[in-house]
Amino acid sequence: MSKFKEKLAEKIPSYRERVTRLAKEYGDVVIDQVKMSQMYGGMRGIKCLTTDISYLDPEEGIRFRGYTIPECLAKLPKKAGAEMPYVEGHFYLLLTGDIPTESDIKDVVDDFAKRSKVPKYVFDMLRAMHKDTHPMTMFNAAVLALQKESEFVPKYNAGMSKMDYWDPFFEDSMNLLAKLPEIAAFIYRYKYKGDTAIDPDPSLDFGANFAHMMGIKSPYDEISRLYFLLHSDHESGNVSAHTTHLVASALSDPYYALSAGLDGLAGPLHGLANQEVLRWIQGVMDKMGNELPTMEDLKKFVWDTLKSGQVIPGYGHAVLRKTDPRYTAQREFALKHLPDDKIFKLVSMLYEVVPPILVEQGKAKNPWPNVDAHSGVIQWHYGVTEYDFYTVMFGVGRAIGVLSNIIWDRAVGQALERPKSLTIDMLEKIAGIK
Ligand SMILES: CC(C)(COP(=O)(O)OP(=O)(O)OC[C@H]1O[C@@H](n2cnc3c(N)ncnc32)[C@H](O)[C@@H]1OP(=O)(O)O)[C@@H](O)C(=O)NCCC(=O)NCCS
């Protein structure tokens, strides 16, 4: 057993004990009430899920295992000379709750390297797909195709104790995560760079290897590390996390569960929003003859978008009520590395223009930018102008968080998810409508 897995195994008994105690001894304690508006409002705010991996404070933003984004960036170890922490170290933190040492990280880096070979049949399948297929469909299909590699399935079929489910879930998740950077980069080079895949370099860490296989020079390795870290987890109620958790609760293995979660990430109100932002920004630039607009022109463009019944992509959030710290982290990177980039300047102008307009319009509960308002700009700067691809990179990052969650779901014995539904007749009766 690797030191990493041993560390996880050590942590499980005390969590299990606490969960069993809460569910058995305090099973009747009421946590929340459900309102009619919430039943028809996407279940916003209902406290009915649990996770220890991350917590989203509406005012402060995400905390990973209690650490804010600036704290993670400062505390997680970095490769000598690197600006951003190892993705592997962040995964270690999410899974174990501890900030790793350099040697802990080396353990994970080496483990991923051993598991990273992508079987040929995955590439054959991707090549057989229609050239116009969205890269997200290709990515999700590749994850699903790998399902035959699941170690959970044969172990489950052979009969195993419920107490041990977490172990093959961990193995499947590690095997899957180790392959995602190559699958994603392959899709990029296959689809947009004339099928010129670049072989992985097993001596590189997760973020640097991805940058190498994309064929983009430093500091793209830094942005890859930052990007995967920032997109990893956002509590468990968002569509990709919740879907992964729900599907895994049926004891569908991590391949099925992640593929389903990624299908949710592909929606325009979720992960796909980062491609929408770039598309929308390009619309502004096209309209302005590829020049920066004036503040007045930009205000008009924002109002025109709203008046045509569309949302301003990259603004608003279901839970957050301030500027997303994931936006801020990317803005700080951009201020340092690409302060004169035209699109970055436009994004900065939008940061001034959009919030007051959304406030004036009076609909959005949060007028501030979310992570997607910035992600594409940096990618564009480093030459990744194929914005269809952005959600795939979001997916690589998101996999780190949602897979950590389902390993822990099995570790603490989370049940099959099965909420109750009611009919309109029943609700009218409850509401007292005659
Ligand atoms: C993220 C998002 C889906 C959250 O949805 P939500 O929880 O329903 O948000 P709210 O409760 O604030 O929505 C209330 C109203 O404000 C509108 N609104 C929210 N964000 C808006 C935005 N960026 N632009 C215009 N209108 C917006 C909603 O469409 C809704 O209108 P409706 O009452 O006519 O249906 C929403 O803010 C949005 O569509 N943003 C743009 C897409 C995006 O950036 N997604 C990525 C999220 S990480």
Side-chain angles (χ1 to χ4, degrees), residues 116-172:
S116 64
K117 177 130 190 65
V118 179
K120 183 177 168 294
Y121 67 80
V122 173
F123 301 126
D124 292 344
M125 182 205 67
L126 292 173
R127 285 202 167 93
M129 292 175 94
H130 196 283
K131 271 267 180 196
D132 288 346
T133 306
H134 193 282
M136 208 43 197
T137 315
M138 297 177 103
F139 187 56
N140 303 359
V143 170
L144 195 56
L146 280 167
Q147 189 277 334
K148 72 179 267 307
E149 311 293 330
S150 172
E151 294 185 17
F152 175 75
V153 173
K155 287 198 170 141
Y156 180 83
N157 290 342
M160 69 185 302
S161 161
K162 202 178 162 179
M163 303 296 273
D164 297 330
Y165 287 169
W166 71 270
D167 186 320
F169 257 59
F170 171 86
E171 294 298 329
D172 281 358

Side-chain angles (χ1 to χ4, degrees), residues 1-2 4-6 8-10 12 16 95 111 115 150-153 155-156 160-175 251 253-255 403 406-413:
M1 197 186 274
S2 69
F4 179 37
K5 191 170 170 186
E6 256 172 41
L8 176 63
E10 265 170 36
I12 291 174
R16 234 176 223 171
L95 211 52
D111 203 348
R115 300 168 187 261
S150 172
E151 294 185 17
F152 175 75
V153 173
K155 287 198 170 141
Y156 180 83
M160 69 185 302
S161 161
K162 202 178 162 179
M163 303 296 273
D164 297 330
Y165 287 169
W166 71 270
D167 186 320
F169 257 59
F170 171 86
E171 294 298 329
D172 281 358
S173 299
M174 290 290 290
N175 287 334
L251 297 186
D253 60 63
Y255 296 88
L403 291 172
I406 60 172
I407 295 167
W408 270 102
D409 285 350
R410 300 290 76 75
V412 299

Side-chain angles (χ1 to χ4, degrees), residues 44 269 273 306 311-312 314-318 358 363-365 370 372:
R44 286 295 179 292
L269 294 187
L306 290 173
V311 295
I312 306 299
Y315 280 76
H317 199 273
L358 287 178
K363 277 168 75 175
K365 293 194 187 71
N370 60 57
D372 295 328

Side-chain angles (χ1 to χ4, degrees), residues 63-78:
R63 277 182 182 267
F64 298 116
R65 289 283 187 176
Y67 297 103
T68 61
I69 285 174
E71 283 167 352
C72 285
L73 296 180
K75 284 181 194 289
L76 286 169
K78 300 173 183 84

